[in-house]
């Protein structure tokens, strides 16, 4: 454990000490995805706007909350016609990027990238103490794959598989795979391995997961209408999931994040996007913006949250952050 922590510190110091080209606002990157490991240190993956070709993915990082940005070596991704570029870092050194068909991993902050070698469509991405996790659809079934943070190859997790292309979600210690109206399955990880348990949401629901300490959360979204849908926040303390509150019906769910201070739900509908904040009996909607949906809603600490609005080729491609658990949001200059 201490060896891993020392490795992270060494890589972080190396990256900070060898930066030669710092990009200030405007980096020439149109954000598609963001991932933060603290309030100050984050990553943005997007499409380069100053390249000679349109197909020009670019990864950048900040060590000071977005005041300055550094360009990072980017693996040979393609800007997808459908779907989007995505990035997820577990710490300063270990991270993954994907264009939906290719999946690359780094253990040294982007100095070197290794292809996964897996053929298929890349779905949900995540990580926990055991390593990186990814849901891959091979044309027949959707399976969960695992890789250690620091080394090794991607391997399928035995038993975590469903027929067809599943909507998947991953949070520390839990995984959901569902094909709406057909199948909804759920697993948790213990020291002895992965165990299937009753799904927190019904087969008609889309499932989003979150973990805070020993508490497991699930946001179940169902019964969609014109720009709205029913949402229920459920929690488990080791037993069955129970509904703890009901977020506003406004918007189709596009994101969910939970910390010890708040639960946040991103949703979009009728040309507007929202961030609802709870999880008490009364929820507030503290961010409302017109235009494209919010993606990558996530906490990197109890109070620090980030999201992406839109993306390359859309009306807006922006990163927003909150340092007070979603009460207030500010645009991050990229």
């Amino acid at each position: 454990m201490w060896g891993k922590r020392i490795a992270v510190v060494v890589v972080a110091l190396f990256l900070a000490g060898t930066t030669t080209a710092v990009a200030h606002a405007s980096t020439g990157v149109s954000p598609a995805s963001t991932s933060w490991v603290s309030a100050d240190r984050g990553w943005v993956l997007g499409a380069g706007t100053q390249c000679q070709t349109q197909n020009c993915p670019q990864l950048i990082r900040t060590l000071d909350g977005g005041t300055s940005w550094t360009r990072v070596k980017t693996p040979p991704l393609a800007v997808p016609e459908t779907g989007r570029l995505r990035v997820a870092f577990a710490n300063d050194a270990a991270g993954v990027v994907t264009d939906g068909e290719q999946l690359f991993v780094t253990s040294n902050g982007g100095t070197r990238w290794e292809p996964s070698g897996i053929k298929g469509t890349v779905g949900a991405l995540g990580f926990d103490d055991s390593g990186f996790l990814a849901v891959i659809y091979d044309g027949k079934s959707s399976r969960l794959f695992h890789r250690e943070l620091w080394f090794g190859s991607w391997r399928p997790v035995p038993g975590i598989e469903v027929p067809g292309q599943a909507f998947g979600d991953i949070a520390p210690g839990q995984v959901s795979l569902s094909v709406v109206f057909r199948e909804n399955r759920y697993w948790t990880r213990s020291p002895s391995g992965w165990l299937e348990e009753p799904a927190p949401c019904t087969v008609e629901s889309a499932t989003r997961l979150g973990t805070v300490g020993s508490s497991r959360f699930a946001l179940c979204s169902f019964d969609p209408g014109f720009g709205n849908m029913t949402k229920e926040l459920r929690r488990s303390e080791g037993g069955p999931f129970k509904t703890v509150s009901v977020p506003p019906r406004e918007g189709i769910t596009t994101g969910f994040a939970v910390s010890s201070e708040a639960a946040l739900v991103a949703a979009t509908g009728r040309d507007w996007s929202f961030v609802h904040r709870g999880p008490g009996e009364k929820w507030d909607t503290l961010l409302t913006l017109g235009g494209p949906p919010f993606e990558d809603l996530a906490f990197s600490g109890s109070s620090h949250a980030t999201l992406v609005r839109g993306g390359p080729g859309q009306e807006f491609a922006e990163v927003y952050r909150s340092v007070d658990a979603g009460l207030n949001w500010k645009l991050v200059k990229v």
Side-chain angles (χ1 to χ4, degrees), residues 98-122:
T98 184
D99 56 14
E101 298 296 330
Q102 303 177 92
L103 178 63
F104 293 87
V105 63
T106 182
S107 58
N108 50 27
T111 302
R112 184 179 66 257
W113 292 92
E114 300 175 9
S116 67
I118 307 171
K119 293 183 179 181
T121 301
V122 182

Side-chain angles (χ1 to χ4, degrees), residues 65-87:
T67 301
S68 62
W69 294 88
T70 304
R71 293 185 181 274
V72 178
K73 180 180 178 181
T74 310
L77 299 167
V79 177
E81 294 183 3
T82 59
R84 62 191 182 93
L85 297 164
R86 287 178 292 149
V87 58

Side-chain angles (χ1 to χ4, degrees), residues 20-60:
T20 57
V22 174
H24 296 274
S26 132
T27 61
V29 175
S30 180
S33 180
T34 193
S35 177
W36 294 67
V37 297
S38 74
D40 296 322
R41 306 191 308 280
W43 308 75
V44 166
L45 177 64
T49 60
Q50 300 172 355
C51 302
Q52 295 181 349
T53 63
Q54 293 182 345
N55 192 14
C56 182
Q58 179 65 61
L59 181 66
I60 55 177

Side-chain angles (χ1 to χ4, degrees), residues 222-230 249 251-252 268-270:
F222 52 96
D223 187 26
F226 182 58
N228 55 62
M229 70 190 314
T230 300
R249 185 173 161 80
I252 302 297
T268 187
R270 301 184 184 182

